[in-house]
Amino acid sequence: MTWLPELSDPTLPGSVGICIHRPRRRVALEPFWMQYVRGVEETLAAHGMTLLLEVVLDAEAEVATFRRWAAGDRIGGVIVTDVRADDVRIPALRGLGLPAVLIGSPGEARDFSTVSTDDAAVATSIVAHLAERGHRRVARISGPAEFRHTGERTAAFDEAARAVGMTFDVIEGDYTAESGDRGTRDVLAGRPTSGVTAIVYDNDVMAITGLATVRAAGLDVPGDLALLAWDDSVQCQLTVPPLTAMSHDIAAYGVDSARALLDVLAGAPRVDRRAAQPVLVPRGSTASRWTVVGDPRRALVERA
């Protein structure tokens, strides 16, 4: 059942807000945010509303923004991204009485509607894809550990990896090209001992930079290292070799988020929504150049 209000409902506020935690110079470079915001804006526009986007450096700055928005009576509600454990924004929203939708699992915030993807299913499909190609020692360049979804991804990877005898080494990144390069260099430095044969990146920006770093080190992709990105983008498709990635309809994710907030503003009861499930798109960066020898749970990996 949909609770979406009528188009141009005069009872709706004129605007809703989103804060993004990134340095301003980086937001426009991230394909995820460009597509996500487009989906939100198009949905709101159909209801005669606008999106106010503000780039902030941390959660405390976002809380200050919420207070300013609530005091000015310009914003009817907010979409909250990158939810953390013990997130200071949650009690602030309650205190302000500002309607909100959380992007991610609710955790303890069971009084808010949420929109999320099934990270466990995504992790399982990535692990299965790599296991089928003989990989048993994998590195992952993650997003910030403080984000709840980063921890959920880590737990999901660990569970899926144990089921196939795979080990995941996690290096924390922050979704930037710089952290993709830095994390990849760390993997390459430890590779003679670790025996890592594949790297998973938590977004496309880190993966694209990681590919350049691997190739600059004189290694072949996928012959020496297979690479895989959690987020797909046009840039992933244009690299050499093209990057295997999880394809999300990110604009649709934005649409789902905006619709969820419209429902909240219309007085609908809270609900946890699932966005469309991402689909793994195999490309050249994980092409089968490895074979499993012996029992797959204890196998050595050899070049085909």
Side-chain angles (χ1 to χ4, degrees):
M1 178 179 181
T2 180
W3 289 77
L4 283 175
E6 296 295 326
L7 298 183
S8 301
D9 185 337
T11 65
L12 286 174
S15 301
V16 302
I18 296 179
C19 288
I20 297 176
H21 295 197
R22 299 289 190 277
R24 290 183 182 275
R25 64 183 177 81
R26 277 175 28 206
V27 173
L29 301 178
E30 295 189 31
F32 177 92
W33 288 117
M34 295 171 66
Q35 294 298 314
Y36 181 83
V37 168
R38 178 171 66 84
V40 173
E41 286 183 322
E42 290 178 353
T43 304
L44 294 176
H47 292 267
M49 301 170 67
T50 59
L51 174 67
L52 184 57
L53 173 66
E54 186 146 336
V55 180
V56 297
L57 291 178
D58 54 36
E60 288 72 20
E62 186 166 355
V63 169
T65 300
F66 291 163
R67 292 189 179 122
R68 175 164 47 83
W69 283 347
D73 201 29
R74 295 181 57 197
I75 299 294
V78 294
I79 296 172
V80 180
T81 65
D82 294 334
V83 179
R84 299 156 168 78
D86 301 320
D87 198 313
V88 298
R89 297 172 296 175
I90 304 304
L93 288 167
R94 292 188 184 114
L96 293 168
L98 194 59
V101 167
L102 309 183
I103 305 307
S105 61
E108 300 304 315
R110 293 287 173 180
D111 47 335
F112 290 90
S113 289
T114 67
V115 181
S116 63
T117 56
D118 187 348
D119 284 352
V122 175
T124 298
S125 65
I126 290 173
V127 168
H129 178 78
L130 295 176
E132 288 169 1
R133 285 151 181 77
H135 300 284
R136 292 296 176 268
R137 191 67 180 262
V138 178
R140 171 172 158 249
I141 314 299
S142 76
E146 64 181 323
F147 294 166
R148 181 180 292 154
H149 68 261
T150 299
E152 291 170 349
R153 290 181 185 185
T154 299
F157 272 120
D158 286 346
E159 182 176 354
R162 280 196 303 270
V164 297
M166 183 184 291
T167 301
F168 261 85
D169 303 324
V170 181
I171 297 173
E172 183 179 356
D174 62 5
Y175 299 130
T176 64
E178 292 83 0
S179 70
D181 172 66
R182 184 169 56 251
T184 303
R185 290 178 184 275
D186 288 346
V187 172
L188 297 182
R191 191 165 167 263
T193 301
S194 69
V196 165
T197 60
I199 307 176
V200 175
Y201 298 85
D202 268 21
N203 78 341
D204 53 334
V205 174
M206 294 193 296
I208 292 164
T209 305
L211 172 60
T213 302
V214 171
R215 296 190 67 189
L219 299 176
D220 178 65
V221 176
D224 297 308
L225 271 173
L227 306 182
L228 190 150
W230 186 283
D231 294 327
D232 197 9
S233 65
V234 172
Q235 290 89 333
C236 286
Q237 301 168 36
L238 297 177
T239 58
V240 179
L243 283 163
T244 295
M246 298 302 303
S247 179
H248 311 235
D249 189 339
I250 298 170
Y253 200 7
V255 170
D256 290 341
S257 303
R259 286 179 173 173
L261 184 55
L262 287 170
D263 282 355
V264 170
L265 296 174
R270 74 161 301 280
V271 65
D272 298 322
R273 290 174 170 81
R274 283 290 195 192
Q277 186 61 27
V279 176
L280 191 144
V281 181
R283 299 193 182 104
S285 68
T286 58
S288 298
R289 296 196 181 183
W290 305 85
T291 57
V292 176
V293 180
D295 183 343
R297 295 178 64 86
R298 295 183 296 275
L300 297 174
V301 179
E302 294 183 353
R303 286 291 296 271

